[in-house]
Amino acid sequence: MSGPCVAVVGGGLAGAEAAWQLAVRGHQVRLYEMRPRRMTPAHTGDRLAELVCSNSLGADNTGSPAGILKEELRSLGSLVLRRAREHAVPAGSALAVDRERFADSVTEALEGHPLVEVRREECVRLPSEPAIIATGPLTGEPLAAALQERVGGFLSFFDAVSPTVTEESIDRTVAYRAGRWGRGEDYINCPMDETAYNRFWKALVAAERSPRHHFEQDARFFEGCVPVEILAERGEHTLAFGPMRPVGLPDPHTGERYHAVVQLRQDNLEGSLYNMVGFQTNLKWGEQRRVFRMIPGLESAEFVRLGVMHRNIYVNAPQVLDPWLRLQGSEALFLAGQLVGVEGYTESTAMGLAAALHMHCLLEGHRLPVWPRETAIGALLAYLQEAVTRYFQPMNLNLGLFPKPERKIRKRRERCQYTAERAAAHLAAFLAGDGACCAPLGEIP
């Protein structure tokens, strides 16, 4: 194939996926990533597809919406999903990865592709078309200003990162291995009785927080990533019914049922690092060490990564994007990833893949395809078009975004399975018909 070089701006999950999908279809790609020349508040290295929040990509079975989306990504030849599964770590029914090995493998694949040029420089203005902007929630200020001028404003919310500790520093005479409802032993659990919980809760709500920048004062929290101290403020028992819910986690050795449990999830392949599930935070770093060491089993915890909170930005998709993630009024300028108003690693990856497939169809002279809304990707694209502009906010894929089943199904798991089977059938028909230009090409090396 020949044609113009496509600029992909941003080397996160969406940008990496977009660059790969274009390159394997024969398009020359110039991938811009500003790190390490300019770092962000959340990243720690210069690798592409670096995960900065949780190391979990969510559920990995078709009994959940996230699993349905992963199956579609697999069917469409996603580089990110393939590498994630190659570098998975134990996480029950979820797909969690060794951060470093995963990012290394994605970086190696893209830097090694003959049609991909990785440029380590900041993009400070909107590129000439064709281009895909996938700079994510931490878009640099010059490019954010240029995009803001183009679309007439951003919405914003806060995102936060959970701390990570070394496995050897966890007191295993207190903490125990177990999965909720007896499903495996992938998690380390730090139990609390009511007295310990109340003492921890009081310290947490009183702890000193990091100040916000002046431009972050009016930003909102995305409900799926609310800092643990904000959750605690909502009521004394909120955490015990939320991220510290003890239901289904009795001590397997004693059978004791606790008032609250803090779960730790494996963060790397060796099992030497564990992150605190649901403990996104904006506490000052010294306060994090002090308060979180009040958790039984973490009294001597070694924190290798402390929590941080930063502002996310995203466009008002139903107002400024067309059905193919293209900026309205442009011919070949697409947005992708969290910037379009989806939330979650897998959703961001999917939007990078979709934007690249739409770009490919455009460059090859094909009619831009309309995804069946019965598919997970189609459901996300439909949400971005049809959400109420005034109240638009980022969204994870969920069953509510899919069309209702033709028959009433009461049990959620059965409804998910029905939705998965219907999605697979519609995707197959789409790729064999109007969406043939989106069909995957060969195996991922």
Side-chain angles (χ1 to χ4, degrees):
M1 294 181 185
S2 60
C5 180
V6 180
V8 176
V9 185
L13 295 177
E17 188 64 54
W20 179 264
Q21 293 297 330
L22 288 166
V24 297
R25 286 167 172 78
H27 300 286
Q28 190 78 39
V29 178
R30 186 171 295 124
L31 176 58
Y32 291 88
E33 171 51 57
M34 68 181 185
R35 294 176 291 118
R37 289 191 178 185
R38 182 178 175 188
M39 299 299 290
T40 75
H43 289 85
T44 60
D46 63 353
R47 288 162 297 190
L48 304 176
E50 180 182 335
L51 304 184
V52 299
C53 192
S54 168
N55 71 320
S56 173
L57 279 70
D60 194 23
N61 61 73
T62 53
S64 70
I68 297 172
L69 182 56
K70 288 181 179 64
E71 180 57 25
E72 291 186 7
L73 290 175
R74 183 200 64 78
S75 298
L76 292 165
S78 166
L79 170 69
V80 166
L81 186 63
R82 172 73 172 267
R83 293 295 190 249
R85 285 180 171 164
E86 289 176 354
H87 299 286
V89 298
S93 60
L95 174 60
V97 302
D98 180 307
R99 297 174 193 265
E100 294 190 4
R101 296 188 183 191
F102 166 71
D104 281 342
S105 68
V106 174
T107 303
E108 181 182 357
L110 287 165
E111 289 183 340
H113 197 289
L115 293 180
V116 178
E117 176 192 359
V118 179
R119 286 198 176 182
R120 298 289 182 168
E121 59 185 72
E122 183 177 8
C123 188
V124 297
R125 59 180 62 87
L126 294 177
S128 300
E129 301 178 8
I132 296 175
I133 311 299
T135 45
L138 298 174
T139 301
E141 292 180 12
L143 183 60
L147 187 55
Q148 185 173 27
E149 182 178 0
R150 175 68 180 271
V151 304
F154 287 116
L155 300 175
S156 61
F157 66 98
F158 281 129
D159 198 5
V161 177
S162 299
T164 301
V165 303
T166 61
E167 189 275 338
E168 64 182 6
S169 68
I170 302 168
D171 184 353
R172 298 299 298 279
T173 65
V174 176
Y176 60 93
R177 279 195 173 275
R180 202 176 294 278
W181 302 113
R183 295 171 184 163
E185 296 184 345
D186 291 342
Y187 291 81
I188 294 177
N189 302 277
C190 299
M192 288 187 181
D193 59 23
E194 188 171 4
T195 300
Y197 174 82
N198 290 336
R199 185 169 58 246
F200 170 75
W201 177 81
K202 290 177 182 177
L204 181 60
V205 296
E208 190 174 1
R209 303 168 192 181
S210 296
R212 302 180 192 176
H213 297 290
H214 68 89
F215 56 82
E216 295 176 322
Q217 297 301 319
D218 61 346
R220 297 173 294 171
F221 293 110
F222 174 60
E223 194 62 27
C225 209
V226 176
V228 66
E229 61 272 15
I230 300 298
L231 285 177
E233 280 185 341
R234 294 178 178 178
E236 185 175 353
H237 304 293
T238 303
L239 294 179
F241 285 93
M244 296 175 65
R245 183 168 63 102
V247 178
L249 283 172
D251 190 316
H253 305 296
T254 65
E256 184 174 355
R257 298 177 185 275
Y258 297 99
H259 185 76
V261 173
V262 175
Q263 288 200 295
L264 306 175
R265 179 174 55 219
Q266 188 171 330
D267 201 78
N268 64 345
L269 194 62
E270 292 81 5
S272 59
L273 301 177
Y274 277 73
N275 62 65
M276 301 175 66
V277 178
F279 267 66
Q280 307 92 292
T281 182
N282 190 45
L283 296 183
K284 287 190 172 183
W285 285 1
E287 291 287 79
Q288 290 183 43
R289 294 186 180 94
R290 179 183 69 83
V291 175
F292 294 154
R293 282 177 178 152
M294 295 175 67
I295 298 171
L298 298 185
E299 293 89 346
S300 300
E302 178 187 358
F303 291 92
V304 297
R305 182 186 181 102
L306 289 162
V308 64
M309 190 171 74
H310 52 84
R311 188 180 68 167
N312 278 351
I313 63 171
Y314 57 97
V315 300
N316 195 324
Q319 183 176 354
V320 305
L321 298 181
D322 74 5
W324 299 280
L325 305 176
R326 182 171 51 179
L327 280 176
Q328 292 184 8
S330 67
E331 176 64 24
L333 183 58
F334 295 81
L335 301 189
Q338 285 183 269
L339 203 56
V340 306
V342 297
E343 177 63 20
Y345 290 149
T346 309
E347 289 87 343
S348 297
T349 300
M351 294 300 95
L353 180 143
L357 296 182
H358 299 159
M359 176 72 81
H360 166 67
C361 294
L362 181 69
L363 296 178
E364 292 301 303
H366 301 297
R367 183 164 59 93
L368 292 180
V370 178
W371 293 76
R373 60 187 310 152
E374 291 84 1
T375 64
I377 291 176
L380 283 169
L381 292 172
Y383 169 74
L384 296 177
Q385 278 295 293
E386 299 171 4
V388 178
T389 299
R390 182 179 176 184
Y391 303 110
F392 180 73
Q393 62 177 316
M395 180 71 75
N396 292 104
L397 182 66
N398 59 77
L399 282 179
L401 298 186
F402 290 93
K404 292 182 179 179
E406 287 76 8
R407 55 187 174 85
K408 191 173 184 64
I409 304 175
R410 293 187 180 278
K411 293 184 178 179
R412 186 179 186 278
R413 179 167 291 276
E414 292 178 5
R415 196 160 69 249
C416 277
Q417 193 57 45
Y418 170 88
T419 302
E421 292 171 0
R422 184 180 62 179
H426 277 84
L427 181 62
F430 171 72
L431 296 177
D434 293 343
C437 61
C438 297
L441 299 177
E443 290 291 322
I444 298 175

